[in-house]
Amino acid sequence: MADPARARKLAKRISQIVAHAIEHDIKDPRLNHVTITDTKITADLHDATVYYTVLGENLESTPDHAGAAAALESARGVLRTKVGQGTGVRYTPTLAFVADSIPEEAKHIEDLLAKAREADAEVARRATGAQHAGEADPYKPPREEATDDEFADEETRS
């Protein structure tokens, strides 16, 4: 089992190598909008999982997830060779590519936040002009503390 710090460093280095190779070395146009987000490596340093996202050409266009997955699959051998050359480890880890779900989860969170904002606005709209059902201050006023003179008066009465 490898040192966890070494595994983290190797995973980060694999991310850098793969991202650089996709950007500069591999000429597949389907990889133009692919971004490497993270890499996880097993404790024995034999298998690496590379997470990626695919962006559209602009905000309105839909990203080509299937094309990017096929392009990464076809470039797997070249990328593994680049990783082997760039890391210098005894055993070059196998690469598995997994589409990262962060953009979809972020969109879901943004939708939930928008719903919460709408609900808050509705509550604020209903609260304008509303009055309390009972007294304005429903709490009892604090009792005033007795002074020493009041205690003396009570003792003389008894």
Side-chain angles (χ1 to χ4, degrees):
M1 179 178 263
D3 178 32
R6 180 174 181 227
R8 280 192 306 273
K9 287 179 186 177
L10 183 59
K12 186 173 184 171
R13 183 70 183 131
I14 289 171
S15 292
Q16 293 169 347
I17 292 169
V18 170
H20 184 271
I22 286 173
E23 186 175 347
H24 297 290
D25 299 333
I26 298 175
K27 303 298 181 201
D28 194 333
R30 298 175 292 182
L31 296 177
N32 286 344
H33 301 288
V34 171
T35 303
I36 303 301
T37 57
D38 195 14
T39 300
K40 303 288 184 196
I41 194 161
T42 58
D44 61 359
L45 306 179
H46 283 237
D47 300 306
T49 304
V50 180
Y51 295 92
Y52 67 94
T53 58
V54 183
L55 305 174
E57 291 185 28
N58 54 39
L59 293 176
E60 289 80 31
S61 66
T62 305
D64 183 18
H65 293 286
L72 286 170
E73 189 64 35
S74 68
R76 180 192 311 248
V78 173
L79 292 172
R80 186 170 182 220
T81 301
K82 296 280 186 191
V83 167
Q85 292 169 350
T87 57
V89 292
R90 181 182 304 166
Y91 180 81
T92 302
T94 59
L95 300 177
F97 294 98
V98 176
D100 203 350
S101 62
I102 288 177
E104 291 83 22
E105 291 176 11
K107 172 97 170 85
H108 179 68
I109 290 172
E110 287 294 326
D111 293 341
L112 291 176
L113 288 173
K115 285 181 184 177
R117 278 189 219 101
E118 290 173 9
D120 287 346
E122 177 65 21
V123 167
R125 186 186 61 75
R126 288 185 180 185
T128 55
Q131 296 178 356
H132 295 286
E135 298 177 19
D137 186 11
Y139 300 102
K140 292 182 182 178
R143 294 183 2 199
E144 295 183 25
E145 295 184 24
T147 61
D148 292 335
D149 294 336
E150 292 173 1
F151 286 125
D153 290 340
E154 288 179 16
E155 290 177 5
T156 56
R157 286 186 214 151
S158 0

